[in-house]
Amino acid sequence: KPLFWANQAKEAEAYEKLIYALHPPEHADGANHLLSFREQGGVAALGKKENEDKLLRIMRTIRYPNVEGLVDLASTDGLTLPRLTTILHFHHPAFPIYSKDLVEGLNRLGIPCVYREEVSEESVADYAGVVASLDRIKTGVTFENVPESNCFLTRVVEGALVQYAREARDQPLGKPY
């Protein structure tokens, strides 16, 4: 619980407003607004009709936990997997936001995961591994260990892992902090 709340302290109120106000993003401008909120910059190429249509089709048809369709956006200039999963998360909050800190948190728990910026078949497979890892972790979380929040359990576990990675960064891998 403390790790999740430490992570949420920076953005909880703004996050909850966005998740309800902009869920799901209906166009490229909405997607870029989400990216700005997460301080990831915008993706001008999403403004192109063919890219916007592709993004909206994927967001409309994707079903948890299958992420294979994300590969269709691999050729979109400026779109990274962290940016794409941010948009995906605000469309479907059960999907985590892929980040270096999340992958580091999983690695520190002994769960081997890989972080890659680009959108490719390989990186989408890596993201699928992160989704599966979070699902495994969530099955062991009892209700006593879940803070009262309007966030999906994925977000709670993700937030705790991100904060764990940040706090443990000065500690060597394999050593408890």
Side-chain angles (χ1 to χ4, degrees):
K1 288 182 189 180
L3 289 172
F4 170 74
W5 286 119
N7 175 261
Q8 287 296 98
K10 292 182 265 175
E11 63 181 36
E13 188 175 322
Y15 173 87
E16 287 192 14
K17 283 180 184 176
L18 274 178
I19 199 85
Y20 295 115
L22 295 174
H23 169 72
E26 297 177 3
H27 47 74
D29 289 342
N32 277 318
H33 182 69
L34 294 173
L35 295 174
S36 295
F37 164 72
R38 296 290 300 178
E39 298 177 358
Q40 294 184 2
V43 179
L46 288 177
K48 293 181 181 176
K49 177 104 172 95
E50 66 271 13
N51 292 334
E52 183 177 46
D53 290 347
K54 202 181 300 183
L55 174 68
L56 296 177
R57 178 184 46 78
I58 290 167
M59 295 300 134
R60 191 175 54 251
T61 60
I62 198 164
R63 297 292 176 264
Y64 187 86
N66 185 350
V67 296
E68 292 170 8
L70 299 179
V71 173
D72 291 347
L73 289 162
S75 62
T76 306
D77 287 337
L79 187 62
T80 62
L81 194 55
R83 288 175 175 161
L84 179 53
T85 61
T86 297
I87 296 166
L88 175 61
H89 173 76
F90 280 92
H91 171 76
H92 192 322
F95 286 101
I97 298 171
Y98 186 68
S99 69
K100 286 180 184 177
D101 288 337
L102 175 58
V103 169
E104 182 182 337
L106 288 165
N107 286 328
R108 285 184 173 276
L109 289 181
I111 301 170
C113 293
V114 177
Y115 177 81
R116 300 175 208 273
E117 283 277 324
E118 78 282 354
V119 179
S120 66
E121 282 186 41
E122 197 169 45
S123 66
V124 170
D126 293 333
Y127 178 62
V130 168
V131 171
S133 296
L134 289 177
D135 279 347
R136 283 193 303 271
I137 291 170
K138 290 186 309 187
T139 62
V141 176
T142 60
F143 76 92
E144 296 94 358
N145 293 312
V146 178
E148 288 187 35
S149 169
N150 290 334
C151 297
F152 273 63
L153 185 54
T154 297
R155 180 71 178 157
V156 172
V157 173
E158 172 194 346
L161 285 167
V162 164
Q163 190 63 27
Y164 173 61
R166 290 175 181 160
E167 290 182 13
R169 204 160 269 140
D170 294 333
Q171 300 296 319
L173 283 175
K175 302 282 185 192
Y177 85 100

